[in-house]
Amino acid sequence: MRVFVTGASGWIGSATVDDLLGAGHDVVGLARSEASAAAIAAKGATALPGDLDDLEALRRGAAEAEGVVHLANKHDWANSAETNRAERAAVETIAQTLAGSGRPFVLASGFGGMGPGRPIAESDPSPAVGPDSMRGGSENLALDYVEKDVRAIVARFAPSVHAIGDHGFLSAIVAAARRHGVSAYIGDGSTAWAAVHRSDAARLIRLGLEQAPAGSRLHAVAEDAVAARDIAEAIGRTLDIPVVSVAPEKATEHFGFVARFFGMDMSASSARTRESLAWTPSGPTLIEDIRTGAYA
Ligand SMILES: NC(=O)c1ccc[n+]([C@@H]2O[C@H](COP(=O)([O-])OP(=O)(O)OC[C@H]3O[C@@H](n4cnc5c(N)ncnc54)[C@H](OP(=O)(O)O)[C@@H]3O)[C@@H](O)[C@H]2O)c1
């Protein structure tokens, strides 16, 4: 299959490109800079110049592809309104381009803001309904295109997609521990995150693209719930620094932007995903990756 991948040069995207190429697919990756284009080309994929605001490039990439994987995101935490606007516009552009084709469209989503008070299941819909909601409401927007003959598939990633070299939320938590000389959790540390190894997430994206039925919500989750306190303790042991609790009102002072996410319960199950796609995660656990120095 000829697959158009946005975010092909990113953390999850670069592993996804490797997995797709390894399975015999052709990949065209959106590249917003020469460095990203070079990284994509070095893997044996083709770079398509353009950024998320270049809707014509997104249209072209999607129109010429047999399937689309959308992973690019501005991730501007200080301006989430703009990040969400751009995400919504990109998803709408790709979905409109694919309408009537029956082609697969796998898009990234997450668990932020869902918090039903138990592990989130694939059957739990995203509460997002409009442009102001988490990720610009892009998950529900894409699923609306199922009735316009797009094989839309949501890939909800655990808040920690971990491996050596991760620069996501967990690396911000580790950086805060280094800055302050203590490894902290918020309150009693009982909130929990789902986690998945990057290689397992990449394989799931490919399986979803190849096989998942229209309207699927896939959970890239290998571990349902890793408690914040256990994460902080593993970081503390690895860096050989004390482990402490910070009060919720002091969390932003300690952690910066990531406090909002570390304080959220984002536990989730993947029973339906595993069964429907015969996906069995096999990478190291989050605590194993922390303990073996993936964040060193
Ligand atoms: N990693 C996680 O733990 C996690 C958890 C939940 C959800 N997600 C979601 O999964 C998706 C992939 O995440 P990731 O961790 O792989 O992100 P990442 O490492 O930050 O990569 C982001 C990708 O998007 C590209 N990008 C950023 N701004 C762009 C723009 N304006 N125009 C075009 N491309 C742009 C980047 O290009 P450059 O290489 O040129 O910078 C890069 O390829 C995102 O939607 C993210 O929100 C990730």
Side-chain angles (χ1 to χ4, degrees):
M1 193 188 299
R2 181 180 162 95
V3 188
F4 176 49
V5 181
T6 74
S9 50
W11 175 241
I12 300 172
S14 53
T16 302
V17 171
D18 288 341
D19 197 294
L20 288 168
L21 292 172
H25 298 292
D26 290 329
V27 174
V28 175
L30 185 72
R32 62 170 166 161
S33 68
E34 285 186 12
S36 297
I40 291 166
K43 288 180 177 296
T46 305
L48 173 68
D51 72 13
L52 277 175
D53 292 325
D54 181 353
L55 300 183
E56 196 40 50
L58 295 180
R59 251 179 233 117
R60 198 180 131 207
E64 293 174 356
E66 291 160 294
V68 177
V69 175
H70 171 54
L71 300 169
N73 192 287
K74 291 190 175 183
H75 288 154
D76 182 354
W77 310 115
N79 189 357
S80 52
E82 166 54 19
T83 295
N84 291 345
R85 181 210 62 75
E87 171 66 359
R88 190 173 175 87
V91 167
E92 185 138 49
T93 300
I94 294 167
Q96 278 172 355
T97 306
L98 295 178
S101 71
R103 291 178 180 171
F105 174 25
V106 179
L107 76 153
S109 190
F111 298 115
M114 292 184 71
R118 53 163 170 77
I120 298 160
E122 291 90 336
S123 54
D124 289 321
S126 167
V129 287
D132 296 332
S133 40
M134 189 74 74
R135 303 183 74 89
S138 60
E139 181 173 321
N140 289 335
L141 175 67
L143 293 176
D144 283 347
Y145 276 80
V146 169
E147 51 182 51
K148 295 177 186 153
D149 199 20
V150 176
R151 184 156 66 85
I153 297 146
V154 171
R156 290 174 173 167
F157 296 109
S160 177
V161 181
H162 54 89
I164 294 169
D166 179 13
H167 57 256
F169 291 158
L170 200 71
S171 66
I173 293 167
V174 173
R178 287 184 196 284
R179 251 189 338 267
H180 297 284
V182 292
S183 175
Y185 55 88
I186 301 170
D188 66 2
S190 62
T191 55
W193 276 6
V196 66
H197 193 268
R198 181 170 72 142
S199 57
D200 291 318
R203 194 168 71 260
L204 178 63
I205 294 167
R206 175 176 56 78
L207 291 173
L209 184 83
E210 292 171 344
Q211 302 171 27
S216 300
R217 297 187 197 96
L218 304 178
H219 282 192
V221 166
E223 297 176 90
D224 292 12
V226 187
R229 187 173 181 148
D230 293 339
I231 293 172
E233 281 174 355
I235 294 169
R237 277 201 304 280
T238 307
L239 299 184
D240 196 20
I241 55 177
V243 180
V244 300
S245 164
V246 294
E249 60 275 16
K250 298 272 185 194
T252 302
E253 201 178 297
H254 180 90
F255 291 106
F257 83 93
V258 81
R260 180 156 71 100
F261 300 100
F262 200 32
M264 264 184 209
D265 194 79
M266 291 195 268
S267 54
S269 66
S270 57
R272 187 178 286 190
T273 301
R274 290 172 194 240
E275 194 186 316
S276 67
L277 295 175
W279 175 68
T280 307
S282 58
T285 67
L286 174 57
I287 299 297
E288 282 167 355
D289 260 354
I290 295 172
R291 292 294 288 138
T292 52
Y295 295 86

